[in-house]
Amino acid sequence: MLIRRLARPLLASIFVWGGIGTFRDTEGHAQAAKPLVERATSPVRDSLPEEVPTDPHTLVRIDGAIKIGAGVLLGLGKTPRLAALLLSGSLIPTTLAAHSFWEYEDPEQRAAQQIHFLKNLGLLGGLLMTAVDTKGKPSVGYRARHGAQRVAEQTQQIVPAKGCKRKGR
């Protein structure tokens, strides 16, 4: 459908651009993410495996790579549902780290951050719609329910109900 071909690149563009910006200013993004990373990792830091990164610089680079990679996939229409889920998972911590408007005292800064926060919620809504878009085809859940129903009906025809005896025996 033409709308999907136009909408996906439009939605993806902000993430690709944001991922590029993350690599251009990793230090600034890491400083913005540091308080959120500390709050999220401090309670479980001792129980995490050594391989799990907990430093803001590494996490910001991973986030940038996800934004670029999944953004390009979404824009090209390649695995758009998976790409939208990855971008959704990336957008939530980004929004909390960069646009926590409730922490600002200045009314102008608070209003500006609130606008960005709400913009990101709108982007999240678009990503979630993309993640569940089946291009007009029935969903996996629908196909599974109706497939199970067909199997049950066919089984009823082949195997008589419990307690019934077949004729001729």
Side-chain angles (χ1 to χ4, degrees):
M1 177 182 250
L2 181 63
I3 295 297
R4 284 184 188 92
R5 288 187 183 192
L6 292 173
R8 286 182 183 146
L10 292 173
L11 182 58
S13 64
I14 187 105
F15 297 101
V16 174
W17 186 253
I20 292 168
T22 298
F23 284 108
R24 285 184 172 169
D25 183 23
T26 303
E27 184 62 37
H29 285 81
Q31 288 302 317
K34 190 174 183 176
L36 180 64
V37 170
E38 288 299 319
R39 283 194 307 263
T41 60
S42 62
V44 294
R45 189 171 301 238
D46 295 336
S47 62
L48 289 174
E50 290 181 23
E51 296 81 14
V52 175
T54 57
D55 67 294
H57 288 84
T58 303
L59 292 172
V60 162
R61 285 186 197 105
I62 291 169
D63 182 62
I66 288 171
K67 284 182 175 144
I68 293 170
V72 168
L73 288 173
L74 178 62
L76 294 174
K78 304 293 181 191
T79 64
R81 295 175 74 185
L82 176 61
L85 284 175
L86 289 170
L87 291 170
S88 296
S90 170
L91 184 62
I92 293 168
T94 298
T95 302
L96 293 174
H99 305 299
S100 52
F101 65 91
W102 53 88
E103 294 178 357
Y104 288 85
E105 296 293 326
D106 179 42
E108 286 183 25
Q109 285 183 332
R110 185 183 191 102
Q113 290 304 318
Q114 192 170 22
I115 288 169
H116 288 297
F117 185 87
L118 293 172
K119 171 204 42 123
N120 283 8
L121 288 182
L123 289 170
L124 180 61
L127 289 170
L128 293 176
M129 287 179 65
T130 303
V132 298
D133 179 26
T134 60
K135 300 181 190 175
K137 297 175 186 171
S139 69
V140 172
Y142 175 88
R143 289 183 285 184
R145 283 190 305 275
H146 287 273
Q149 188 177 14
R150 282 193 306 273
V151 169
E153 289 169 359
Q154 291 171 356
T155 304
Q156 290 285 332
Q157 293 172 0
I158 296 171
V159 179
K162 191 176 182 179
C164 294
K165 294 184 180 180
R166 288 187 169 187
K167 293 183 181 179
R169 285 198 171 182

